Amino acid sequence: WYALVGSGIEGAGGAALAFVSKDMLNWTYKGPFFQADLQKFPYLGPIWELPVLLPLGADKQGESKHLLLVSPVGEGADVEVFYWIGRLDKEELSFIPDQEEPELIDVGDFHFTGPSGMVDPKTGRKIIFTIAQGDRTAELEYQSGWAHNAGLPLSVYLRDDGRLGIEPIQELQSLRGAKRLSIQDKTMAETNDLLRGIKGDMLEILVELESVQAKQLGIKVRCTPDGKEQTLLYYDKVEGKLLVDRTKTTLHPREKCKGIQGGRLDLFGENLKLHLFLDRSMVEAYANGLKSLTTRVYPSRRDALGLEIWGDGELVVRSMEVWDMKSIW
C-alpha cells in the first residue's frame, strides 16, 4: 500500500511525501515523492494539500504516464489545482515530470480547488472531483445560509498530442431536460434572435464558434434584458487565452465577482468549442476538451437569465444546442 501526504519542506516549498505499508497500519516514510523549485515557481507555495496521483496509460511511444495534482496553500501560494504529467518511479517511489513547470486544469481564479481522484472500477476512466469556492464576504455567506459547492466530476485522459484531456463525465447527460435549441451554421445575429426566447439559470450549452474576422468570441450568460448585468465567457485568439469578463456580473455593491480572469489555451487554429453548465451561481465552462474555467456569479437582478453569442467581429455559429438542466434529486 502507498500513501501520498501533502506537506512542505522548510525553505524548499511544497512537497508530496511518500509512505509505504504492508498492512495499512504500520507505515514507513520513504521521502519526498515530488517537490517543486520554490525559487522558480513561488506561486506553488510553502505547503501542498491533497496530492492526487492517477495513471493515464501509455503515450504514443509506449511509455507509461501518470498525472500528479496538487493544491498549494500558505504565504505566496496561488490556491488552484496544478498538475504535471510524468513518470512514476516505483523503485525510488518518486515522480519525474515531463516538464518542470506545472499547468492549470482550470483557469478561473480560486473557484476550482480541493482535488480528489479515482479510477472508475467499471470503465477505467480517471475521474477527478473538486470544491468550487464561493469567494463571497462572510456576511453574504451567512445571509445566504451556505458557502461552497462541489464542482462537476471530470474525466481526465492523455490525448494523442500528449496534452491532458478534460471532459465532464458522460453521466451528466442524464440531467438533460427539454431541448431548447438546436441549430447549425447561423450568423451571430440569427442565433441571438433565436436566443431571445431562452432564459434560465439551470442550463447545459454546447456551442461551436468559427471566427471570420473576430479576434475575441464567446457567449454571454446570466444576462438581463438591458445588458446591465451579464457574464462573458470568451476566447482571445491573439493572446491565446480562455477568459471570463465579470465586470458586469452583478450590480450588488458587496459581491466580489468583478474583473477579468482566465489563462492560456492553445487551440492551434481549431474552432472554439464550449461546453457550459449553468447551475444558479455556478458557471462551469470546458473549452475544446483542454481547459476548464469555473467561476461563481451572483447577479442582483432576478431577470439575469438571458444568453447571447458575442464577438468583436464577424463569426459563424457552426452549431449550438441548449438543454434545460434538471435537478440531481
Side-chain angles (χ1 to χ4, degrees):
W1 299 95
Y2 301 92
L4 290 182
V5 176
S7 187
I9 297 172
E10 193 168 354
L17 308 181
F19 292 77
V20 64
S21 172
K22 291 183 178 179
D23 58 10
M24 289 191 76
L25 296 172
N26 302 288
W27 292 87
T28 302
Y29 174 54
K30 301 296 286 186
F33 179 74
F34 183 66
Q35 62 186 108
D37 188 332
L38 191 61
Q39 301 303 314
K40 281 188 178 180
F41 312 113
Y43 55 84
L44 289 175
I47 302 168
W48 288 349
E49 288 187 325
L50 305 162
V52 176
L53 184 74
L54 292 171
L56 289 178
D59 63 12
K60 295 178 82 172
Q61 286 72 44
E63 186 175 32
S64 179
K65 296 293 182 181
H66 280 72
L67 173 70
L68 177 64
L69 308 171
V70 301
S71 183
V73 295
E75 186 178 356
D78 185 5
V79 185
E80 313 285 353
V81 177
F82 289 92
Y83 75 88
W84 294 265
I85 294 172
R87 183 171 58 86
L88 170 64
D89 186 332
K90 286 188 177 179
E91 296 298 320
E92 297 293 327
L93 207 53
S94 64
F95 179 76
I96 301 95
D98 292 345
Q99 293 179 308
E100 192 178 12
E101 187 172 3
E103 290 198 50
L104 287 168
I105 286 181
D106 189 282
V107 296
D109 187 16
F110 186 60
H111 298 293
F112 185 97
T113 66
S116 61
M118 72 174 196
V119 177
D120 179 355
K122 291 183 178 180
T123 65
R125 290 176 302 174
K126 288 72 184 178
I127 297 174
I128 63 171
F129 303 85
T130 60
I131 301 168
Q133 302 284 346
D135 195 24
R136 306 177 86 181
T137 66
E139 178 189 10
L140 289 170
E141 285 181 347
Y142 177 78
Q143 289 173 356
S144 66
W146 68 291
H148 312 306
N149 195 34
L152 291 176
L154 300 183
S155 174
V156 293
Y157 56 95
L158 190 65
R159 290 164 45 111
D160 289 341
D161 61 9
R163 293 191 286 176
L164 186 67
I166 302 163
E167 298 279 2
I169 61 170
Q170 291 181 338
E171 287 84 347
L172 291 168
Q173 293 180 18
S174 67
L175 299 179
R176 288 176 178 173
K179 181 173 271 193
R180 306 288 298 278
L181 184 73
S182 181
I183 59 171
Q184 289 185 319
D185 299 328
K186 300 285 187 185
T187 66
M188 183 164 61
E190 289 171 332
T191 303
N192 287 332
D193 281 341
L194 295 168
L195 287 175
R196 286 196 181 94
I198 299 175
K199 310 287 182 187
D201 58 6
M202 289 181 67
L203 299 172
E204 180 186 353
I205 303 161
L206 277 169
V207 61
E208 179 177 345
L209 303 177
E210 180 179 338
S211 169
V212 179
Q213 295 174 321
K215 298 291 188 263
Q216 298 178 333
L217 62 167
I219 182 171
K220 295 178 181 179
V221 300
R222 301 301 306 273
C223 306
T224 55
D226 59 8
K228 294 268 181 82
E229 288 190 339
Q230 59 184 31
T231 297
L232 171 62
L233 291 146
Y234 69 103
Y235 183 65
D236 188 311
K237 292 180 61 179
V238 176
E239 292 192 7
K241 287 185 175 181
L242 179 65
L243 299 156
V244 58
D245 185 340
R246 309 193 310 166
T247 54
K248 292 184 178 181
T249 289
T250 184
L251 296 170
H252 195 296
R254 297 195 308 280
E255 292 286 6
K256 291 184 178 181
C257 37
K258 302 286 193 297
I260 299 174
Q261 302 173 357
R264 189 78 194 169
L265 172 62
D266 294 313
L267 294 185
F268 302 120
E270 285 184 30
N271 290 344
L272 176 65
K273 300 173 184 176
L274 290 175
H275 194 173
L276 289 88
F277 294 84
L278 309 183
D279 186 5
R280 308 295 199 226
S281 69
M282 291 288 293
V283 178
E284 293 168 273
Y286 305 93
N288 293 64
L290 284 166
K291 290 290 180 188
S292 69
L293 194 159
T294 303
T295 194
R296 304 294 296 274
V297 298
Y298 305 97
S300 67
R301 288 171 48 177
R302 291 183 179 274
D303 61 348
L305 300 170
L307 302 173
E308 182 183 332
I309 299 297
W310 175 87
D312 66 353
E314 190 179 350
L315 61 83
V316 176
V317 180
R318 282 296 170 212
S319 64
M320 187 171 186
E321 294 177 283
V322 181
W323 293 267
D324 287 328
M325 188 163 62
K326 298 183 292 188
S327 167
I328 64 170
W329 302 111

